[in-house]
Amino acid sequence: GQQVMQIPQYQHVQEGEDFTTYCNSSTTLSNIQWYKQRPGGHPVFLIQLVKSGEVKKQKRLTFQFGEAKKNSSLHITATQTTDVGTYFCARWGFQKLVFGTGTRLLVSP
Amino acid sequence: NAGVTQTPKFQVLKTGQSMTLQCAQDMNHEYMSWYRQDPGMGLRLIHYSVGAGITDQGEVPNGYNVSRSTTEDFPLRLLSAAPSQTSVYFCASSRSEFRGHSNQPQHFGDGTRLSIL
């Protein structure tokens, strides 16, 4: 299948520390989407990356798409307790949106 | 604007029972899909539809049926529930990539938490 691997599976940080999750594919991606799911909630779309080497920022969140379009990362600067949740990458192709396994982030105050 | 509405929110079934999970959206989205979410396995695509009258299988379609008679509704049917189908089910919708709106973000419902005993 068109697997998208995500690491780490889980990370626990102290508030104020940085956090990064990585998404890797064995094949070239046409695009990558990122979603956030709060505990007990549903996935919410954050952003989409399409171009090789693309970098987008949303306040403390920085999203990158690799030059070879086979990997992507989400970096959160100075985490806050509101960042708690699971972050998913997802690839859209052939009419299907396939999700990575997600990275669960826990932030302690 | 309600967005994507899923009913019921919770359900407990016995093995062998049948059930339909409802999903409705009011955004005139052509594309709709169903996912199941299990701990440590992310979201896995069950079935999807690019428009009324058109459905296709996702990654894990076995044990589930769908139909799309209208743009708004996309019900998911479990014909004979099994314990392995205990999960959280999410419905999502978006514009279809074949209408010139490629790679659209998905809008998710709040989910149905299903337990099968």
Side-chain angles (χ1 to χ4, degrees):
Chain A
Q2 299 171 357
Q3 287 262 321
V4 179
M5 305 305 295
Q6 214 173 329
I7 55 171
Q9 285 190 332
Y10 172 82
Q11 189 154 3
H12 185 181
V13 301
Q14 295 294 315
E15 191 172 22
E17 293 181 337
D18 292 356
F19 160 78
T20 304
T21 174
Y22 300 91
C23 188
N24 299 304
S25 171
S26 58
T27 59
T28 302
L29 304 168
S30 59
N31 64 81
I32 196 85
Q33 295 184 346
W34 286 92
Y35 291 78
K36 177 183 178 181
Q37 184 178 24
R38 295 182 185 275
H42 60 270
V44 174
F45 175 79
L46 295 175
I47 209 159
Q48 176 170 272
L49 305 172
V50 179
K51 299 177 182 176
S52 169
E54 190 170 16
V55 178
K56 288 187 176 180
K57 293 189 176 183
Q58 290 179 349
K59 298 182 179 178
R60 294 178 295 104
L61 277 62
T62 301
F63 302 85
Q64 290 189 317
F65 203 7
E67 292 290 342
K69 299 183 74 174
K70 287 188 175 182
N71 56 75
S72 181
S73 65
L74 159 59
H75 179 82
I76 302 178
T77 303
T79 55
Q80 300 176 358
T81 54
T82 54
D83 295 324
V84 163
T86 301
Y87 293 84
F88 293 98
C89 63
R91 63 178 297 173
W92 179 275
F94 301 107
Q95 302 178 305
K96 302 176 186 178
L97 187 64
V98 177
F99 281 79
T101 49
T103 296
R104 184 182 170 198
L105 173 64
L106 183 62
V107 181
S108 295
Chain B
N1 196 345
V4 179
T5 303
Q6 290 185 239
T7 57
K9 294 190 184 303
F10 303 94
Q11 184 70 47
V12 179
L13 294 177
K14 294 181 179 179
T15 297
Q17 286 186 315
S18 62
M19 171 166 192
T20 298
L21 308 186
Q22 301 292 343
C23 176
Q25 53 87 14
D26 61 1
M27 297 174 281
N28 201 31
H29 284 166
E30 298 94 344
Y31 187 92
M32 297 185 73
S33 56
W34 277 101
Y35 290 85
R36 60 176 290 173
Q37 185 172 32
D38 305 295
M41 300 190 73
L43 294 117
R44 292 183 291 169
L45 182 64
I46 305 172
H47 285 286
Y48 66 96
S49 168
V50 299
I54 306 170
T55 64
D56 208 341
Q57 297 181 349
E59 304 168 271
V60 288
N62 292 340
Y64 307 95
N65 281 351
V66 291
S67 60
R68 184 91 181 272
S69 55
T70 67
T71 298
E72 294 77 19
D73 300 297
F74 190 43
L76 178 71
R77 297 185 185 85
L78 284 71
L79 298 179
S80 179
S84 61
Q85 294 178 304
T86 293
S87 188
V88 180
Y89 291 85
F90 287 102
C91 178
S93 74
S94 70
R95 292 176 173 176
S96 172
E97 62 179 350
F98 289 104
R99 291 293 180 95
H101 304 288
S102 61
N103 306 317
Q104 293 299 304
Q106 298 297 297
H107 300 260
F108 283 84
D110 290 336
T112 294
R113 284 148 183 81
L114 182 62
S115 293
I116 300 164
L117 307 177

